[in-house]
Amino acid sequence: MHKENEVGALKIKHVRKSYGGTDILKGIDLEIDAGQFLILVGPSGCGKSTLLGLISGLEQTTSGEIWIGDRMVNNVAPKDRDIAMVFQSYALYPNMNVKQNIAFGMEMRNVPKAEQEQIIARVAKMLQIEHLLDRKPSQLSGGQRQRVAMGRALARNPGLFLFDEPLSNLDAKLRVEMRTEIKRLHERTKTTVVYVTHDQIEAMTLGDRIAVMKDGIIQQFGGPQDIYDNPANMFVAGFIGSPSMNFILSTVEKTQEGVGVKVESGNKQFVLPLRADAAAKLSSWVGKEIVFGIRPEQITGTVNIQQDNPHITKADCKVEIVEPTGPDTLTFINLNGKEAVCRVHPSEAKRPGERMQLAFDMSKAVFFDPSSEARVA
Ligand SMILES: Nc1ncnc2c1ncn2[C@@H]1O[C@H](COP(=O)(O)OP(=O)(O)O)[C@@H](O)[C@H]1O
Ligand SMILES: [Mg+2]
């Protein structure tokens, strides 16, 4: 936890940004501690790069404050903010070799040659590019070039690292490898990072703290698991997680045991009982329609379920489509007239048109107001 008089590494207070008359950032508040890895994630156009531009100082805030360490930096020039940036398009100088590319910033700052050599050696070792130092960028693969770009940023030894979608130009396999590399690098250096991505998997795997953005507003700010388990609204619930959470419009019903949601699949109706805390919160919703949210891994076959889990209800459903992924088979069913996806162990998977027993685990089910889309339980 944050101590009373400890200085946060980065603090963003009520920051707004507009271009012309258009509000792009509509009041951003964020704070992270030194050494944390902050992810800004959200769909294209939601304002992530704009926020990063304000932190770097390349853009000016319309109002609000940005603090780096114990300094309010609104009026501090970018070069004096003690930051280093890595962008999606990592422009290396084509006529310089790797070593010269890494050294370029240090040359500009008149860092003594001996110190430059030391820093280059350290950075090259860290990124495992020692054998590439004499090569030109054209002689490198995409991943190697990205590594050099990171080396150039690392050579600054900044207080704050800013990344703007640094992996989005790489192919899928390399992206996963570089993701692990960045994580390892952060484990080693413990430098504070702000990392922009539109990829929710990158967000989940890299972030200590995640800010989910939409339309210039932070929808939720928290740890990855907390955001996954306790999404604040339907947007966050649907954006984080793959395949996405199933949203089923259902009626809340009073039952003999308590409260449940009514579901129909292939002409069979059943009621899924709610856990006590959800039932209490939804007592005023009895008879009304609600959006019931359940993740694919919470609807499974019945073989591997925990037998002592009291929140499981089994129901017979008709399989519409199956998609084997290897470790599990995504099984599509119809719930209340809408397609829902379940994660089924391949050994239990059925064929389209067949029926199967599915186990609905309601221990992590979430519920949303259909009109405001806010979480209600
Ligand atoms: N210099 C600018 N002038 C006018 N509008 C801009 C400018 N920069 C960004 N925008 C607008 O701000 C919105 C957010 O852009 P951006 O921060 O790049 O989104 P993201 O990085 O999340 O994809 C977009 O609608 C974009 O068109
Ligand atoms: Mg962007």
Side-chain angles (χ1 to χ4, degrees):
M1 276 305 292
H2 202 67
K3 288 190 215 85
E4 194 62 58
N5 50 8
E6 188 181 308
V7 178
L10 173 68
K11 209 183 308 177
I12 295 169
K13 290 184 178 177
H14 321 307
V15 162
R16 295 178 163 272
K17 176 69 179 175
S18 32
Y19 286 112
T22 313
D23 293 335
I24 303 295
L25 298 177
K26 302 167 184 169
I28 303 284
D29 285 284
L30 278 178
E31 183 172 349
I32 53 166
D33 294 337
Q36 284 192 318
F37 200 121
L38 168 67
I39 297 274
L40 303 177
V41 67
S44 177
C46 72
K48 306 179 295 292
S49 296
T50 301
L51 183 53
L52 210 64
L54 299 180
I55 298 170
S56 72
L58 296 174
E59 297 285 342
Q60 290 292 309
T61 58
T62 301
S63 65
E65 296 178 357
I66 295 177
W67 291 69
I68 297 176
D70 55 2
R71 279 198 303 171
M72 209 266 267
V73 296
N74 287 44
N75 298 314
V76 176
K79 67 175 176 45
D80 299 324
R81 291 191 182 195
D82 194 23
I83 53 176
M85 295 192 72
V86 180
F87 295 97
Q88 176 178 352
S89 52
Y90 30 88
L92 301 177
Y93 299 103
N95 55 337
M96 296 183 191
N97 66 23
V98 168
K99 188 172 171 181
Q100 290 162 330
N101 263 286
I102 295 175
F104 186 74
M106 296 191 281
E107 284 287 340
M108 300 303 286
R109 282 175 282 129
N110 293 315
V111 175
K113 276 273 185 281
E115 194 183 334
Q116 285 193 26
E117 291 291 338
Q118 273 183 6
I119 291 171
I120 291 166
R122 175 177 60 83
V123 165
K125 180 159 187 271
M126 204 182 284
L127 293 165
Q128 293 162 18
I129 51 174
E130 292 141 302
H131 59 299
L132 304 175
L133 288 174
D134 295 327
R135 289 204 202 165
K136 294 277 172 63
S138 60
Q139 299 168 296
L140 303 176
S141 70
Q144 289 169 336
R145 276 182 222 164
Q146 184 57 291
R147 233 169 263 183
V148 175
M150 281 204 281
R152 199 167 52 178
L154 274 172
R156 294 190 64 115
N157 198 21
L160 184 60
F161 247 127
L162 306 179
F163 288 92
D164 195 349
E165 311 225 10
L167 307 184
S168 51
N169 279 348
L170 305 179
D171 66 50
K173 183 165 179 287
L174 200 53
R175 203 154 61 218
V176 173
E177 281 171 22
M178 287 299 287
R179 194 171 79 200
T180 312
E181 198 100 337
I182 290 175
K183 185 143 192 173
R184 198 173 291 140
L185 203 62
H186 180 249
E187 286 299 317
R188 240 176 290 160
T189 61
K190 287 291 178 202
T191 307
T192 314
V193 174
V194 182
Y195 186 108
V196 163
T197 180
H198 64 269
D199 177 354
Q200 56 87 22
I201 298 178
E202 235 169 83
M204 285 294 286
T205 50
L206 282 173
D208 295 319
R209 309 286 285 158
I210 300 178
V212 183
M213 291 177 67
K214 185 190 162 212
D215 298 338
I217 294 171
I218 293 187
Q219 304 288 317
Q220 191 167 4
F221 178 48
Q225 197 66 46
D226 188 43
I227 286 183
Y228 189 79
D229 290 337
N230 291 300
N233 56 40
M234 275 178 74
F235 173 76
V236 175
F239 189 77
I240 301 284
S242 176
S244 285
M245 180 184 278
N246 298 300
F247 293 128
I248 301 143
L249 192 62
S250 337
T251 310
V252 180
E253 285 221 332
K254 199 153 185 63
T255 64
Q256 283 187 334
E257 298 79 34
V259 178
V261 279
K262 199 161 89 179
V263 177
E264 183 192 308
S265 181
N267 296 327
K268 288 207 176 180
Q269 287 202 347
F270 48 96
V271 173
L272 298 169
L274 305 192
R275 350 169 263 281
D277 66 298
K281 285 182 191 147
L282 294 187
S283 59
S284 61
W285 285 79
V286 171
K288 295 183 190 153
E289 279 194 323
I290 203 160
V291 175
F292 154 47
I294 184 163
R295 293 206 181 270
E297 66 270 26
Q298 290 147 14
I299 314 175
T300 64
T302 53
V303 170
N304 292 326
I305 56 171
Q306 275 181 296
Q307 296 303 333
D308 57 354
N309 183 341
H311 302 292
I312 285 181
T313 299
K314 293 176 193 168
D316 178 57
C317 299
K318 183 166 151 253
V319 172
E320 311 257 330
I321 300 172
V322 288
E323 290 180 352
T325 68
D328 39 38
T329 299
L330 299 178
T331 298
F332 292 76
I333 58 171
N334 188 299
L335 292 178
N336 289 359
K338 218 185 130 199
E339 192 170 75
V341 56
C342 324
R343 278 193 192 275
V344 171
H345 192 270
S347 64
E348 284 182 272
K350 292 277 195 278
R351 278 189 297 243
E354 294 180 343
R355 302 194 71 92
M356 78 176 287
Q357 276 276 103
L358 287 170
F360 290 74
D361 180 356
M362 297 294 281
S363 56
K364 288 184 174 170
V366 287
F367 302 89
F368 304 94
D369 182 326
S371 52
S372 72
E373 303 198 346
R375 173 96 176 272
V376 289

